[in-house]
Amino acid sequence: MLQPKREYTDLMHSERVLLGPGPSGVDPRVLRVMAAPLLGHLDPEFLRLMDETGELLRYVFQTENDLTLPMSGTGSAGMDTVLSNLLEPGDQVIVGVCGYFGQRMVDIARRCGAEVAVIEGEWGRIIEPEQVEDALEAMPHAKLVGLVHAETSTGVLQPLKEIAALAHSHDALLVADCVTSLGGAPLKLDEWGVDAAYSGTQKCLSCPPGLSPISFNERARAVLNSRKTKVPSWYLDLTMIERYWGKERFYHHTAPISMVYALREALRIVAEEGLEARWERHDLNARAFCAGLEGLGLKTMAQPQHLLPSLITVWIPSGVEDGAVRQFLLQEYDIEIGGGLGPVKGQIWRVGLMGTNSNRKNVTLALVALSSALREQGFQASVAEGLAAADAVYAS
Ligand SMILES: *Cc1c(COP(=O)(O)O)cnc(C)c1O
């Protein structure tokens, strides 16, 4: 008999302020519903909660799409779901890459056996419609165009509407990664013509990681329904999952009950605030934070007119050590921020102001904490100028 290696203590950990690229802070209301007793996954009362979750998801995605549901798994499971349900071996696809998550889409599309044309964008900038048009002309039978709406690795918000129209004029679908935009930045699937989208719970919805909301319109559904081959993943096959989330209630896999409670509560909070008010709140706090960073003597990375309000990227000044600053923030202030990925590793910080965490208190706290971390590194950041600049945005 193997025995437990030691005695294990009760769960105890520091109370962090999660200002990184996700997970973000969770509303206490969401944590409370997660402690509710379980219902069975086919209990009529649970089925009603599923229906309400679907309705609320349609509201936050701004869509009437029937096929709108949360997949079991994190945001990447949504990415896998959307691409593996739409693609078959030999299909041609176009993916815009100007950050880490665009690259992940390419990887997944290739695993689906697709031939991928990559639009190489610059990190920190959007993919321009002209680049997509050129790619569509070079690959006229492309089945879909994949873009990241909110590129969490660079802090850029990609406009989608014009590109959706371009894709449609070439008979291609537009697929969008909305993991860091859903509930934090304007997103209107139906009005913009986004055909399939996926998101995650732990970013701007302020819910723990564990579910990945997806939505398919009729055009995307037609592609799914006319597949010649089965969806390669049994677990992610929407033709089966929609029979559980839809009217049939056909068992596929056991829904993660407590996570559905959590998502429903998080979406209820979004609906109470109102989507537009929530978008404005994220925008205001992001503008104040960026102004504050400049007041500290720092420079933001993303194209200013395409700034992602839920995640701000800032250049690390020369001579300042990335790891030391993040460790100082964690130890002295219990604040987590993110470092750079890929080509900007060690060069930028990523500060998330997502969901409930997007507020004036956190903006002020982050500016003060960052200025003290920078002073520790010999960089003279003026906290007074930083706070004055942020305050000026709130006052205007
Ligand atoms: C976080 C994120 C993902 C991946 O989500 P996981 O929940 O980590 O699987 C995908 N795309 C973007 C843009 C993200 O920010």
Side-chain angles (χ1 to χ4, degrees):
M1 276 297 285
L2 287 171
Q3 299 298 326
K5 287 207 163 51
R6 64 185 79 103
E7 267 191 47
Y8 298 92
T9 60
D10 287 350
L11 181 68
M12 272 204 310
H13 59 70
S14 305
E15 229 174 273
R16 306 294 199 202
V17 184
L18 297 176
L19 301 181
S24 65
V26 174
D27 193 293
R29 272 174 60 182
V30 172
L31 294 176
R32 278 199 295 274
V33 300
M34 293 185 82
L38 292 196
L39 290 166
H41 62 283
L42 292 171
D43 186 313
E45 293 185 23
F46 184 68
L47 300 180
R48 187 171 51 80
L49 297 179
M50 289 167 67
D51 287 343
E52 291 177 0
T53 305
E55 277 171 31
L56 284 161
L57 273 180
R58 286 181 196 97
Y59 166 65
V60 296
F61 269 128
Q62 287 290 292
T63 182
E64 310 267 10
N65 292 344
D66 265 340
L67 183 48
T68 301
L69 54 83
M71 294 298 291
S72 304
T74 64
S76 307
M79 197 185 300
D80 251 337
T81 300
V82 169
L83 293 174
S84 68
N85 277 265
L86 292 176
L87 295 178
E88 293 185 76
D91 282 344
Q92 295 188 320
V93 306
I94 295 167
V95 178
V97 178
C98 49
Y100 187 83
F101 292 101
Q103 195 56 51
R104 186 174 294 181
M105 256 201 211
V106 172
D107 185 0
I108 294 177
R110 290 202 171 123
R111 284 163 193 252
C112 295
E115 181 194 329
V116 185
V118 176
I119 305 172
E120 293 283 357
E122 197 182 319
W123 281 52
R125 304 187 72 83
I126 61 165
I127 300 285
E128 299 290 343
E130 296 72 41
Q131 292 173 277
V132 178
E133 192 160 27
D134 291 347
L136 282 163
E137 268 154 28
M139 190 184 254
H141 299 294
K143 193 177 197 178
L144 63 84
V145 174
L147 287 178
V148 178
H149 183 218
E151 184 45 89
T152 322
S153 61
T154 60
V156 166
L157 186 63
Q158 169 73 48
L160 296 176
K161 195 173 176 178
E162 196 180 334
I163 294 178
L166 275 174
H168 296 158
S169 71
H170 286 80
D171 241 354
L173 301 174
L174 178 68
V175 165
D177 177 327
C178 303
V179 176
T180 302
S181 55
L182 188 70
L187 173 63
K188 299 177 176 177
L189 292 193
D190 288 1
E191 191 183 314
W192 295 353
V194 177
D195 298 293
Y198 57 87
S199 187
T201 44
Q202 79 275 24
K203 311 245 170 142
C204 301
L205 298 179
S206 285
C207 183
L211 289 174
S212 174
I214 59 109
S215 188
F216 275 48
N217 68 10
E218 290 309 316
R219 232 183 322 238
R221 262 180 116 154
V223 168
L224 170 60
N225 292 331
S226 61
R227 289 180 69 97
K228 292 181 205 70
T229 58
K230 276 192 173 182
V231 176
S233 162
W234 182 90
Y235 196 69
L236 303 178
D237 185 343
L238 283 172
T239 64
M240 294 194 287
I241 290 168
E242 71 174 334
R243 295 179 63 198
Y244 172 53
W245 277 84
K247 293 194 178 55
E248 284 179 75
R249 305 303 187 180
F250 195 81
Y251 163 71
H252 178 257
H253 68 271
T254 310
I257 308 291
S258 309
M259 273 310 299
V260 175
Y261 296 166
L263 176 58
R264 177 179 170 279
E265 190 65 13
L267 294 170
R268 223 160 65 90
I269 292 169
V270 175
E272 283 166 20
E273 179 175 14
L275 262 184
E276 280 159 310
R278 196 174 175 92
W279 295 339
E280 278 164 26
R281 172 166 61 81
H282 280 80
D283 179 65
L284 173 65
N285 291 313
R287 283 189 291 114
F289 186 61
C290 287
L293 289 172
E294 276 169 33
L296 294 183
L298 302 176
K299 293 216 163 7
T300 51
M301 174 196 180
Q303 232 176 321
Q305 61 281 36
H306 298 293
L307 205 91
L308 175 60
S310 46
L311 186 120
I312 288 92
T313 46
V314 55
W315 294 108
I316 300 174
S318 67
V320 170
E321 210 208 309
D322 173 23
V325 166
R326 283 193 284 138
Q327 200 181 336
F328 179 91
L329 292 176
L330 201 60
Q331 272 173 5
E332 302 298 323
Y333 287 91
D334 269 321
I335 294 176
E336 175 180 286
I337 66 166
L341 293 173
V344 289
K345 189 172 160 55
Q347 294 177 39
I348 62 165
W349 289 309
R350 297 184 296 151
V351 182
L353 293 170
M354 300 182 184
T356 68
N357 274 359
S358 172
N359 60 46
R360 187 169 181 171
K361 186 175 89 175
N362 283 337
V363 167
T364 306
L365 175 67
L367 290 172
V368 171
L370 198 54
S371 71
S372 83
L374 285 166
R375 265 195 306 281
E376 186 88 352
Q377 288 280 307
F379 180 90
Q380 292 313 315
S382 164
V383 68
E385 278 181 45
L387 293 183
D391 283 344
V393 172
Y394 288 113
S396 68

